Amino acid sequence: MSDSQTTPPHKKNRRVKSDIPFFLGLFGFAGVYLVLILSLLVANASFIDAEAIREAFTSEATLGSLKLTFLTCTISAILSLFAAIPIAYSLSRFTFKGKTFVDTLFDIPIVLPPLVVGLSLLILFNRLPDPDNSLEKWLNQHGIAITFHVPAIILAQFTVAAAFAVRSMKNTFDQISSRTEDIALTLGCNRSQAFWKVTLPQAHKGIIAAGLLAWARALGEFGPILVFAGATRGRTEVLATSVFLEINIGNLAGAASISLVLITLAILTILTVRLAGDRR
């Protein structure tokens, strides 16, 4: 039987169009954005020389800022995991009335302008329920200071970083089948035992990835810290605010040098998250 006899009439003389325009558009837009990112890195590097780097990282202020950054980011990332794991597990495994609304609430810190997060924290601690009986004053009476102190940095970083950790952990729990938990329940485990002995061990790489993501997010946080903790040299100065302070005194080379550290740390963290994700 010949081809003309087997080919349906509506497919006769049909020519497949070239994919060249599709791939030109695909790689064209991707290439433009990639060039923009690389241009930003080159622009930053062009402002840096060995002397600027030496000056920036031999100053006590910058070294203190570096130590405080690592300390606060690490604490914020750990706190983010404590919040993210139960929240993400609940959203992934249980269905309840208003779940979509509750799920949306956890995304608010992601979409809000950073300055608004800082302003909201400032008002929460210093104006509620009223200025004379605020939460900050109550904490001060018990020897605890938050606003414009180091705990304010951690709280500002945690508020935003935890939202990213929740998203990451929810994806992890969504990818873990609930069947193994169901089997554990039929074998005599209660819900808590099934979670600790079955689900959580399977999620360990996702937990590492979520922690690193929260750490990276805390590293880049600036707006909430500026409003809620301030940017005082040697007191509430982290790397992000160091860049701001160096720009304020006209030291662009110093600001670019500190930015290089932030960029390097961000790239290393993201690469680690990607590698952890690829090995799941």
Side-chain angles (χ1 to χ4, degrees), residues 79-222:
L79 292 177
S80 296
L81 286 179
F82 276 109
I85 291 173
I87 293 170
Y89 180 77
S90 303
L91 292 174
S92 176
R93 288 292 187 270
F94 304 118
T95 301
F96 51 89
K97 195 173 182 179
K99 179 180 175 181
T100 303
F101 177 71
V102 173
D103 197 2
T104 304
L105 289 179
F106 289 120
D107 284 336
I108 287 179
I110 296 176
V111 298
L112 271 182
L115 286 175
V116 175
V117 175
L119 179 63
S120 301
L121 285 169
L122 193 65
I123 294 171
L124 172 65
F125 275 81
N126 294 277
R127 292 286 173 179
L128 294 180
D130 62 70
D132 294 329
N133 298 292
S134 66
L135 179 59
E136 182 71 32
K137 287 188 175 178
W138 182 81
L139 290 169
N140 291 164
Q141 290 170 2
H142 293 79
I144 301 170
I146 302 291
T147 308
F148 301 126
H149 290 78
V150 172
I153 300 174
I154 297 169
L155 196 54
Q157 292 173 335
F158 163 77
T159 304
V160 180
F164 286 88
V166 168
R167 287 299 127 214
S168 179
M169 282 309 306
K170 185 172 183 300
N171 287 336
T172 297
F173 286 127
D174 285 345
Q175 291 173 13
I176 297 173
S177 172
S178 61
R179 189 165 179 271
T180 51
E181 285 178 66
D182 295 337
I183 293 172
L185 292 174
T186 60
L187 292 176
C189 287
N190 58 23
R191 178 63 71 179
S192 172
Q193 289 171 322
F195 172 75
W196 288 106
K197 294 181 178 179
V198 177
T199 307
L200 205 57
Q202 293 183 70
H204 70 282
K205 289 182 179 175
I207 294 171
I208 294 170
L212 289 171
L213 184 64
W215 195 92
R217 183 59 255 179
L219 176 72
E221 212 51 66
F222 171 69

